[in-house]
Amino acid sequence: MERIELRSDPQAPHDARCWHCGRAVAGRRMARYLYPGDRPRTAIVEDWHPCPCGAFQNVRRPTEITVSSLGRA
């Protein structure tokens, strides 16, 4: 069995603003999509956050994929 972990860059900004009203959108995530990264073992993680104004804002982050073995059960 293997464990797959997605590790985002801790230096990446997490302060996303709504495209419609400019409020900060953080916390609750409604959807997550994964896209292939530009290097091996990387992915682009795209999270969609709702805003109180009714709009949705997407936040994309480059992410490293690590795979580790958990041994056999």
Side-chain angles (χ1 to χ4, degrees), residues 5-71:
E5 294 179 89
L6 300 173
R7 297 178 188 220
S8 296
D9 180 2
Q11 303 296 326
H14 293 288
D15 182 33
R17 299 264 171 205
C18 175
W19 63 270
H20 183 258
C21 70
R23 287 186 240 187
V25 290
R28 196 172 71 151
R29 173 180 72 225
M30 295 300 290
R32 173 170 274 184
Y33 297 94
L34 300 175
Y35 301 102
D38 57 352
R39 296 183 330 265
R41 294 200 182 251
T42 61
I44 303 297
V45 175
E46 181 179 79
D47 292 326
W48 285 82
H49 300 274
C51 181
C53 77
F56 285 84
Q57 178 63 45
N58 66 328
V59 179
R60 288 181 152 206
R61 289 188 312 270
T63 304
E64 182 181 348
I65 301 169
T66 58
V67 179
S68 58
S69 178
L70 294 177

